[in-house]
Amino acid sequence: MKNLQNLKIMKNLKKTFTIIFITLTSFCFSQTAAYYCSQTGAVGFCYGYGNVKECAYNQAYRYGATNPQLILNYNGKGYGALAVGTNSYGIRVVGIAAGYDSLSRASNVAFRECRKRGGTGIYISDTWLDQ
């Protein structure tokens, strides 16, 4: 009888520790995603929790995207930055960076990415630290 009680206790402890482990690992793991629409210049990005791709996609539509494309999907933590400029057609162009060990590195990478996409008059519009 005592062995049966011990077995039940062990099974319950295993379930409890599994739930705690899953909960803690979901808080420790972060990610960043961004969608951009080249037709309208709309961008949406989210960071710091589980379903960032869906959040970023919906945000891009909310800001006027007609055909948003995934431009960043990073699974990790660190500094991030969003750079914004304008291309030769007058449409907003963006560069985004995430997961860097410093804000200046993230900003520099985002700036370069925006320039690669034809951006001029570039500025850093958003920064964050995903811990």
Side-chain angles (χ1 to χ4, degrees):
M1 188 67 153
K2 188 171 183 160
N3 285 341
L4 186 58
Q5 286 177 333
N6 286 341
L7 184 60
K8 286 182 182 180
I9 290 171
M10 292 301 288
K11 284 183 179 182
N12 286 337
L13 281 174
K14 183 178 177 182
K15 287 179 188 177
T16 302
F17 284 123
T18 301
I19 291 169
I20 290 170
F21 177 76
I22 290 170
T23 302
L24 288 176
T25 56
S26 70
F27 284 117
C28 295
F29 184 74
S30 296
Q31 58 182 355
T32 303
Y35 279 84
Y36 170 72
C37 179
S38 60
Q39 291 86 9
T40 66
V43 64
F45 73 96
C46 294
Y47 65 92
Y49 60 93
N51 199 357
V52 292
K53 280 177 68 175
E54 182 179 343
C55 172
Y57 184 83
N58 291 335
Q59 230 185 39
Y61 263 109
R62 191 171 333 141
Y63 293 123
T66 56
N67 185 23
Q69 301 297 309
L70 184 66
I71 60 170
L72 178 75
N73 186 24
Y74 177 75
N75 293 320
K77 300 177 183 184
Y79 287 92
L82 176 69
V84 176
T86 307
N87 68 15
S88 59
Y89 300 105
I91 296 175
R92 180 178 16 190
V93 181
V94 300
I96 191 164
Y100 286 87
D101 60 355
S102 73
L103 184 56
S104 64
R105 286 189 62 190
S107 297
N108 288 336
V109 170
F111 191 92
R112 282 196 310 269
E113 289 297 315
C114 187
R115 192 172 352 153
K116 279 186 199 175
R117 290 188 172 99
T120 59
I122 302 168
Y123 62 95
I124 301 297
S125 71
D126 288 291
T127 60
W128 62 91
L129 173 57
D130 188 4
Q131 297 183 22

